[in-house]
Amino acid sequence: RVIVQEFIKEAGGADVRVFIVDGIVVGAMKRQGKEGEFRSNLHRGGSANIIELTDEEENAALRAAKAMGLGIAGVDLLYIGCSDSRVTAEELMGVAPGEVFVHRNIANMVISIDLNAMSVIEYAVKHLKVKHIIVCGHYGCGGVKAAMQSADLGLLNPWLRNIRDVFRTHKKELKAITDEEAQYKRLVELNVQEQCVNVIKTAVVQTAVKERGVIVHGWVFDLATGRIIDLKLDFDKILENIREIYHLD
């Protein structure tokens, strides 16, 4: 069997990466290698910027994903989500079983003493070599709602305390929101943000960021509209701040 590929001139260390979910382009970036380097990997000194694709580029990416029969293309994923049964990770992202490594718990928490979550992250990053880690919360989260109430919930208290710590950390912002539903939604978003920070604190993720440019994403799913909201976290800034305190060699 012989495969012939059209010759493509070397691109000066630049490439375009496209993220496709269920036949829809949801994001794209252009990577540029440092001067004198043909590889654009971030851990080799390359840079990356979000871009808008041309119609030609978008069509080429969609045709490639379709030709390979991929419901999701462009990434290798670890998904950390809520245990809520109203939607599965696979349905949410439009992927088939086996295409994404999934961990779920009440309110999509990443707690350093939770051996289950830590083992999942260790295995996914170190052995499966995932390139992207997604922490996904959702509006209408019962765990976050429970954490906002003054009630003794027994065994749930230690778990919910971690969400209350998020409220305490962002108390000034949250208390300034007078509408209870808006405050609730904002706490959902801030909880996702803080769990992304907890992911970045782990040694295995810090190592993977340095060695191969692993990225952490924060999403919120809106059950009412069916939309995924990317919180667009400033990953580089978060990582820089984390390393000041949680730096691991």
Side-chain angles (χ1 to χ4, degrees):
R1 185 179 179 183
V2 178
I3 299 176
V4 179
Q5 178 177 320
E6 178 185 358
F7 172 74
I8 300 174
K9 185 179 179 181
E10 213 289 308
D15 64 23
V16 172
R17 293 296 176 96
V18 183
F19 180 15
I20 298 172
V21 176
D22 200 21
I24 299 173
V25 173
V26 297
M29 68 176 178
K30 182 176 182 180
R31 304 188 307 175
Q32 178 65 58
K34 65 180 181 180
E35 187 175 353
E37 174 63 71
F38 71 92
R39 290 165 293 194
S40 58
N41 307 73
L42 299 185
H43 70 277
R44 295 184 180 274
S47 59
N49 294 291
I50 297 172
I51 61 169
E52 293 290 335
L53 297 174
T54 65
D55 290 341
E56 181 180 2
E57 289 169 336
E58 183 168 332
N59 288 333
L62 291 171
R63 289 199 307 271
K66 184 177 180 180
M68 292 185 285
L70 299 175
I72 186 166
V75 294
D76 298 312
L77 297 170
L78 165 61
Y79 174 94
I80 301 172
C82 183
S83 297
D84 192 294
S85 61
R86 284 172 286 184
V87 63
T88 68
E90 290 82 6
E91 288 175 325
L92 189 150
M93 294 187 289
V95 300
E99 291 185 309
V100 57
F101 197 56
V102 177
H103 176 69
R104 301 173 73 180
N105 60 39
I106 296 172
N108 41 273
M109 303 298 291
V110 179
I111 303 170
S112 62
I113 58 173
D114 177 7
L115 294 182
N116 191 348
M118 292 299 104
S119 298
V120 166
I121 293 172
E122 179 86 11
Y123 181 73
V125 174
K126 192 170 183 179
H127 300 283
L128 297 181
K129 304 293 185 184
V130 300
K131 299 176 183 176
H132 292 254
I133 301 172
I134 296 167
V135 178
C136 185
H138 66 93
Y139 296 135
C141 178
V144 173
K145 189 74 170 179
M148 293 179 69
Q149 311 303 316
S150 259
D152 183 354
L153 298 174
L155 190 60
L156 286 174
N157 287 332
W159 190 265
L160 297 177
R161 188 180 302 128
N162 294 281
I163 306 173
R164 291 172 179 142
D165 285 341
V166 174
F167 195 108
R168 175 176 53 79
T169 301
H170 298 276
K171 180 180 177 180
K172 184 176 181 180
E173 176 185 349
L174 290 166
K175 284 293 188 181
I177 302 173
T178 55
D179 180 76
E180 184 177 351
E181 184 64 21
Q183 185 187 74
Y184 171 36
K185 285 187 173 182
R186 183 56 181 150
L187 181 56
V188 167
E189 296 169 351
L190 291 170
N191 184 52
V192 169
Q193 176 181 307
E194 291 302 321
Q195 303 321 308
C196 287
V197 171
N198 289 340
V199 170
I200 298 168
K201 288 176 184 176
T202 63
V204 69
V205 171
Q206 288 194 34
T207 299
V209 168
K210 289 190 292 184
E211 292 181 352
R212 52 190 182 86
V214 165
I215 300 176
V216 180
H217 306 267
W219 289 0
V220 173
F221 180 59
D222 189 337
L223 289 163
T225 65
R227 294 182 57 206
I228 295 174
I229 300 165
D230 185 351
L231 297 181
K232 300 185 184 301
L233 301 176
D234 190 339
F235 179 78
D236 291 332
K237 183 177 181 180
I238 290 173
L239 188 58
E240 181 181 349
N241 292 338
I242 288 298
R243 280 181 171 163
E244 287 184 11
I245 304 171
Y246 299 95
H247 178 69
L248 298 171
D249 291 322

